[in-house]
Amino acid sequence: MTLRRFAGLLLLAVVAAACGARESSEAGGASGGGSSKPRVALVLKTLNSPFFIDMERGAKEAAQRLGMDLTVQAAEREVDVDKQMQIIENLIQTGIKVLVVTPSGSKEIAPAIAKANAAGIRVIVVDTRVDPKSAAESGAKVETYVGSDNYEGGRIAGKYLVEATSGKATVAVLEGIPGHETGDQRLRGFKDAVKDAKGIRIVASQTANWERDQGFTVFQNMLEAHPEIDAVFSCNDMMALGAVEAIAARGKTGKIRVVGYDAVEDARKAIRDGAILASVAQFPSEMGRVAIESADKLLKGQPVPAEQLVRIDLVTKDQPSGAAAPAAGGGGAAGAPPASPSAASGGTR
């Protein structure tokens, strides 16, 4: 064997070893590409968000504890439904046994789930439910839903805003993506909570697509059209933080009450500083944990509930750790009480 050929073979061996190490790291501490264990995939909406980073952390910790071979993938932006569909279709070809997914589109995800079902893959949905009609039309089957009660969270936000304003406010709403279950349920819960308060008027309601920069722009435009606005409900904290920046740009900090959703760290700081009044806290790390524990049960032939609700809470300046609001309905709260205020975090949805 010539020296040049030996050097070439050595280089190939080094590259192959590096690829294997990368696969092992993606498995969240599991046994890597050569594992004989059933593979589980977690497909998130994005990893450019504190909410989903925290969910990934909870899932990886559970996978490591259970000795599971876990792969985590996500699109760059959570509104990129087509990319998420492509990721799922590619994963189907890799021999995964369970797919855990946070749908970027409640309706759009159904055909991808049906393809996974056809390949013998069990599916767990986290955070955003699949549209029932789309699921029925596609023949998509979901083993369990793990997430918060978004309607109840919206209702808690609305009830708090009514109390904080003594039932008198001119309100703007920053919506999630229309037609997507998560934002739609929060919006419906909020509206139901304020509808009987005669002094509450919603004068503007528009999507800012879960994003901070769009929250800034959209709320700027709302203030131009309705300078009398003195309260905001945002269906997530990223848009709320954008609204806070727009409020500051207009010199109205402290004059417009802002209620958000998710209790991300930046929103908690804004609550401490008085720029945000309150935020509904979720516990994404628990969602990740419960989803992976459910995947483990499915792999062992054990039953799982059709719905597993993780608790929600309300964070305010007076209650920075939340009010310990219980989860409502369905399979009941899936997690234990939070160990610390940082246990709840969030981001775009």
Side-chain angles (χ1 to χ4, degrees):
M1 180 184 295
T2 65
L3 183 60
R4 179 177 295 178
R5 178 173 174 76
F6 176 79
L9 290 172
L10 182 61
L11 178 61
L12 285 173
V14 170
V15 170
C19 290
R22 181 180 179 187
E23 174 64 26
S24 178
S25 68
E26 289 176 350
S31 52
S35 173
S36 60
K37 298 175 183 177
R39 295 184 60 233
V40 175
L42 171 61
V43 179
L44 299 169
K45 295 180 184 180
T46 182
L47 281 170
N48 293 323
S49 155
F51 184 91
F52 294 108
I53 291 171
D54 202 25
M55 187 180 292
E56 179 193 32
R57 178 178 60 81
K60 283 188 170 182
E61 287 173 357
Q64 188 168 21
R65 172 168 48 83
L66 294 167
M68 181 181 293
D69 187 351
L70 177 67
T71 297
V72 181
Q73 294 190 26
E76 284 294 316
R77 299 180 68 219
E78 69 172 281
V79 294
D80 195 343
V81 177
D82 291 339
K83 180 62 177 177
Q84 186 178 71
M85 298 272 283
Q86 180 185 340
I87 289 171
I88 292 172
E89 290 183 3
N90 290 342
L91 284 168
I92 289 171
Q93 308 303 317
T94 67
I96 61 172
K97 298 301 181 183
V98 180
L99 170 67
V100 181
V101 59
T102 60
S104 292
S106 305
K107 298 176 181 177
E108 297 89 341
I109 196 68
I113 292 175
K115 288 181 181 179
N117 294 154
I121 299 168
R122 315 287 286 276
V123 179
I124 295 170
V125 167
V126 185
D127 181 52
T128 301
R129 299 176 192 268
V130 179
D131 177 71
K133 183 180 178 182
S134 299
E137 290 174 350
S138 300
K141 180 185 177 183
V142 172
E143 303 293 338
T144 185
Y145 164 77
V146 179
S148 303
D149 186 334
N150 286 296
Y151 173 84
E152 178 64 11
R155 193 193 67 78
I156 288 171
K159 183 174 180 288
Y160 182 77
L161 187 62
V162 171
E163 293 171 353
T165 61
S166 300
K168 296 180 181 179
T170 304
V171 181
V173 177
L174 293 172
E175 304 174 15
I177 301 170
H180 288 203
E181 184 269 346
T182 306
D184 288 353
Q185 289 297 313
R186 292 175 191 176
L187 180 62
R188 188 167 68 87
F190 176 81
K191 287 183 174 179
D192 282 353
V194 304
K195 67 182 180 183
D196 293 330
K198 304 304 181 184
I200 300 286
R201 291 190 309 126
I202 298 176
V203 296
S205 187
Q206 185 178 337
T207 182
N209 290 312
W210 301 125
E211 296 182 354
R212 187 169 183 160
D213 58 346
Q214 291 194 40
F216 174 82
T217 302
V218 169
F219 192 64
Q220 266 196 330
N221 294 337
M222 287 178 170
L223 284 176
E224 287 288 342
H226 301 280
E228 72 276 19
I229 289 171
D230 59 11
V232 185
F233 170 59
S234 175
C235 286
N236 85 334
D237 278 342
M238 294 295 101
M239 298 185 296
L241 289 163
V244 166
E245 292 167 358
I247 291 167
R250 291 291 292 265
K252 290 192 171 186
T253 298
K255 298 179 181 178
I256 299 177
R257 297 175 176 90
V258 180
V259 176
Y261 203 113
D262 285 335
V264 301
E265 186 53 42
D266 282 355
R268 287 171 179 270
K269 183 179 184 302
I271 290 170
R272 292 193 295 270
D273 294 343
I276 290 180
L277 193 63
S279 182
V280 177
Q282 298 195 92
F283 298 83
S285 63
E286 286 188 19
M287 294 183 196
R289 173 184 62 78
V290 173
I292 295 307
E293 289 175 349
S294 297
D296 184 61
K297 289 178 180 178
L298 291 173
L299 290 170
K300 292 175 178 175
Q302 300 172 3
V304 294
E307 181 178 77
Q308 301 179 77
L309 295 183
V310 174
R311 70 190 185 280
I312 50 178
D313 213 331
L314 185 70
V315 173
T316 65
K317 192 170 187 176
D318 293 336
Q319 294 178 318
S321 299
S340 68
S342 63
S345 66
T348 51
R349 185 87 320 86

